[in-house]
Amino acid sequence: MAKFSRIAIANRGEVAVRIIKACEELGIETVLLHSEADINTRAYRMATKTICIGPAPTAESYLNIKANVDGALAGGAQAIHPGFGFLSENADFAEAVTKAGLTFIGPSAESIRSLGDKVHCKELAKKAGLPLVPGYQGENQEVAHLILEAEKIGFPVIVKAAAGGGGRGMKLIKSSAEAKELIESAQREAQSAFGSPKVFLEKYLDRAKHIEFQVFGDSTGNVIHFFDRECSVQRRHQKIIEEATSPSLSDDLRRRMGEAACAIATLGKYKGAGTVEFLLQDNEFYLLEVNTRLQVEHPVTEEVLGVDLVKMQILTAQGEFVHDPKQVRVPRGHSIECRIYAENPFMGGVPSTGLLGHVEWPEGPGRRYEYGFDAGDTITPYYDPMIAKVIVWDETRSRAIQKMIRVLQDSVVFGVHTNIPYLIEILSHKEFVMGTMTTRFIETYFSEALKEPELSSLDKKIAEGALLQLRGGGTQNQGANTSPWASYWRGI
């Protein structure tokens, strides 16, 4: 297969920036396929070429298969990288890309249908004898039937989108009384986010840890794994802190789970980067799902193993990457990632949109930042409010935790609220420090909203002085209530 000279990116934000950087390292030009709302973002400025594929609503742009394929062709690309989210796990998109004469940088449409569909994946795993959480994955999607199945499983039950991930279309049902409303809500959200209302049910494990294995199918079809990540710190079923490797696995458990991850990926004839997710409870593990794409949290794996997964994805799509079994990779040290969201932690995490007045990520050894916005960019209400990922590495887990706390304390984001205070509270909690947290960690120990700290008189004087500088001088009474700069202090 010929080498790519130009790759189209069917995504946005920090993942688009990550793909552009990998392409730059390989000497490949990029075409950013963006919506009208994403003009003047970091990825927009970095891409070799940009093509607008539609208005802000995702159904009319990032989820529009034809618009993405037409945009890639118009931009002169030979391949499309889907990133994560949007169409990254859509088999129809992978098929449309291939039919258009382009290369889909990811697994085949057949593999996505086999593993990316959560229901089909569980059927495949069942045949292979892999352990599964008790549940219902049938074709009957009538709400009344789903309620009966949930009652058979026994509450609490989780309802999930068959074609989804990332917590979208996922609801926790605690009793029959709330089942109808939550199932219908999950079906609507699944349709909106993934284009299919199909859902399935699982028994909710209330003391589980969320462990995942990074798998990779090389150019020849061999599947290997790049060890594990722990993602037990979740809020509303969405991960917010991830680490590699998990502090919860013995060597024997890690070996058995890694073998199971490779087994299911091999059954799905997997090529490229994917993730096999498990729930772990009482030293027993259960297959949760397979994500047939790059993960948001892939940097922590890259940090402990010294690999570049995006570069490997591109080389695999070109037919170049073949795993060398003599090259044994062993995790080194510990890495933690925190997702920085534009939200107000003092008001239950409501999204915080607006202009980023100033952004500063403190540099230093073992620190890595992936972000899609610079100062002067606007956080819009149209998409996921994640504005950056902060990743640290250190020799031990405890040092990595302390480094992450320092980095977050020194990071500066003016213009919108962020969840940084919330993240620092989590990292400082004894359960997290001990590594004994479960997926109910946030629910058990944290309220929806943090208590807002009171500013001291010195803090107020410093803020007033800085505000005057930003306003270009004058007295503090001149138009203080009407200045747009005043909103910047929401992010302190």
Side-chain angles (χ1 to χ4, degrees), residues 30-271:
T30 51
V31 182
L32 182 69
L33 308 174
H34 66 89
S35 75
E36 292 172 356
D38 277 335
I39 292 174
N40 295 328
T41 60
R42 192 162 185 245
Y44 184 91
R45 290 186 289 274
M46 290 176 66
T48 311
K49 188 178 179 68
T50 60
I51 291 182
C52 185
I53 56 170
T58 56
E60 300 174 49
S61 50
Y62 293 110
L63 290 177
N64 185 328
I65 291 176
K66 186 175 186 305
N68 277 279
V69 172
D70 288 349
L73 290 170
Q78 297 95 40
I80 296 181
H81 196 307
F84 42 74
F86 296 129
L87 295 171
S88 62
E89 293 186 276
N90 188 308
D92 292 340
F93 181 52
E95 205 164 64
V97 170
T98 304
K99 282 183 179 176
L102 302 168
T103 300
F104 182 76
I105 301 180
S108 66
E110 179 189 12
S111 289
I112 294 174
R113 288 198 175 96
S114 177
L115 297 175
D117 183 295
K118 315 306 177 191
V119 172
H120 191 271
C121 175
K122 287 179 182 295
E123 291 170 353
L124 195 67
K126 196 173 182 180
K127 290 178 184 174
L130 297 182
L132 294 171
V133 179
Y136 171 77
Q137 298 92 34
E139 292 298 321
N140 191 336
Q141 294 290 298
E142 294 292 330
V143 174
H145 181 76
L146 291 170
I147 294 173
L148 286 176
E149 292 293 338
E151 289 171 342
K152 286 181 192 173
I153 296 166
F155 295 103
V157 165
I158 287 268
V159 55
K160 298 180 178 178
R168 303 295 302 275
M170 188 184 298
K171 307 288 178 186
L172 174 61
I173 307 173
K174 296 179 180 176
S175 68
S176 294
E178 61 185 21
K180 182 175 185 295
E181 180 184 348
L182 292 175
I183 289 172
E184 289 177 343
S185 174
Q187 289 175 327
R188 285 194 300 271
E189 196 171 317
Q191 176 66 52
S192 172
F194 310 110
S196 168
K198 190 176 181 180
V199 296
F200 65 99
L201 307 171
E202 276 182 350
K203 177 70 179 171
Y204 180 62
L205 301 179
D206 61 358
R207 290 176 291 105
K209 281 179 162 288
H210 185 121
I211 310 292
E212 61 187 32
F213 274 73
Q214 177 72 61
V215 294
F216 203 99
D218 71 10
S219 302
T220 64
N222 292 319
V223 175
I224 53 176
H225 76 76
F226 289 117
F227 291 88
D228 50 286
R229 300 185 283 256
E230 175 151 353
C231 313
S232 297
V233 180
Q234 301 175 8
R235 186 187 53 178
R236 302 170 197 149
H237 313 299
Q238 284 194 313
K239 306 163 188 171
I240 53 176
I241 296 178
E242 301 100 342
E243 56 186 310
T245 55
S246 167
S248 308
L249 303 187
S250 65
D251 289 344
D252 178 63
L253 192 54
R254 177 169 282 121
R255 177 188 58 76
R256 289 191 287 125
M257 292 177 75
E259 289 175 354
C262 288
I264 186 70
T266 301
L267 282 172
K269 300 175 182 176
Y270 204 82
K271 184 177 285 187

Side-chain angles (χ1 to χ4, degrees), residues 11 16 73 77 89 224 279 320 327 332 369:
N11 218 295
L73 290 170
E89 293 186 276
I224 53 176
L279 288 178
E320 292 182 39
Q327 187 179 3
R332 171 181 164 272
Y369 305 100

